[in-house]
Amino acid sequence: MAKKITSKIEKVDDKKYFGVNHYKVKIVKKRENPIQFILGVLSYALFIFLLLVGAALLVYYLDVKIRASKGDYTPSKFNGYVVLTGSMEPNIMVNDVVITKKVDAGKLKVGDVITFKSTDARFYGMVITHRIIEKYQEPATGKYTYRTQGDNNNVADNALVLDENIFGKVILKIPKLGYVQYFLARQGGWIFVILIPCLVVVSCDILKLIKALGRKTKVIRR
């Protein structure tokens, strides 16, 4: 538990030594309210988290815009996707967010989880995240294809995945972050999730500063 240190200053006597009053300083330890301490830590943690998320989104947005201005509309090296089905449970749950990294097709191996655009007639064009269970290479062209399957599915996917349809390999899973994405997508949702918590943190700091400036040092004389 954090302890706040304050001081009480006591004058030794009424005499002056070399024209200066001498005081005896007594340190008094004051316990800080644990609830206030916990709330303070949580508010700062939330503020830092939102700041990092905002910075990541800004970098991603700028990267997309810069590449689009150059005529490059391919997916970014890093991307994030919300999982909508339970085909990868229990490793990846519904509304989890997976972060993918674009890697060379030759470096992918059996056991990797990838996000790709499906060519299966049932899910044509849909973005799917499944695990590689088999890897093939065409001798004539040197291109790779992959057999994939969801961890929670009994059978493998019907269509092979072409290397050009792979958005990236899953390198990170963020549980339930999809709920935040849905909320942010709603009109005004970003105000409640980002702006209001930031205003609360800033307001608390301003109140603490005002209180500190208004606090007077107590001098106890004998």
Side-chain angles (χ1 to χ4, degrees):
M1 182 182 295
K3 294 182 179 179
K4 185 176 181 181
I5 298 177
T6 59
S7 63
K8 289 183 180 180
I9 303 176
E10 296 181 358
K11 189 175 179 181
V12 176
D13 50 35
D14 294 331
K15 296 181 180 180
K16 292 184 178 181
Y17 298 91
F18 303 102
V20 179
N21 288 329
H22 287 253
Y23 295 91
K24 179 181 179 182
V25 178
K26 182 180 180 182
I27 303 299
V28 180
K29 294 182 179 180
K30 184 179 178 181
R31 291 182 177 273
E32 185 175 354
N33 189 324
I35 295 178
Q36 292 181 349
F37 176 76
I38 293 173
L39 290 177
V41 172
L42 291 177
S43 64
Y44 277 108
L46 177 62
F47 177 75
I48 292 173
F49 172 75
L50 293 175
L51 188 64
L52 292 175
V53 170
L57 291 175
L58 179 61
V59 171
Y60 178 79
Y61 175 79
L62 292 176
D63 176 62
V64 172
K65 287 296 183 181
I66 291 173
R67 290 189 301 103
S69 66
K70 298 178 180 178
D72 182 6
Y73 295 95
T74 59
S76 302
K77 185 174 183 179
F78 294 94
N79 281 287
Y81 301 91
V82 179
V83 176
L84 302 177
T85 68
S87 63
M88 285 296 292
E89 293 182 357
N91 295 309
I92 303 175
M93 307 296 289
V94 176
N95 287 317
D96 286 354
V97 169
V98 292
I99 306 300
T100 64
K101 178 183 179 182
K102 186 70 175 178
V103 298
D104 294 334
K107 294 181 179 180
L108 293 173
K109 59 184 182 299
V110 173
D112 288 341
V113 178
I114 58 173
T115 298
F116 58 92
K117 182 172 68 174
S118 177
T119 56
D120 191 321
R122 300 168 300 169
F123 314 108
Y124 189 83
M126 292 182 62
V127 178
I128 295 177
T129 298
H130 278 175
R131 192 180 302 277
I132 297 174
I133 59 173
E134 293 175 356
K135 178 179 179 179
Y136 309 97
Q137 185 177 23
E138 182 66 33
T141 62
K143 288 191 173 183
Y144 294 92
T145 55
Y146 307 87
R147 177 75 65 186
T148 55
Q149 181 177 341
D151 291 353
N152 197 35
N153 293 346
N154 295 324
V155 295
D157 300 332
N158 288 340
L160 294 176
V161 179
L162 306 177
D163 56 6
E164 59 264 30
N165 288 339
I166 298 175
F167 296 126
K169 173 184 173 181
V170 174
I171 59 173
L172 178 65
K173 177 190 72 173
I174 307 177
K176 304 306 178 185
L177 188 62
Y179 289 112
V180 177
Q181 190 272 338
Y182 293 142
F183 191 76
L184 288 173
R186 299 175 59 183
Q187 185 175 6
W190 66 274
I191 296 177
F192 293 96
V193 175
I194 296 178
L195 184 58
I196 290 181
C198 290
L199 288 176
V200 170
V201 172
V202 172
S203 299
C204 289
D205 287 341
I206 292 175
L207 290 175
K208 289 179 181 179
L209 180 61
I210 293 174
K211 187 180 294 185
L213 292 175
R215 188 182 298 116
K216 296 180 179 180
T217 304
K218 295 181 179 180
V219 179
I220 303 175
R221 297 178 179 272
R222 287 185 178 180

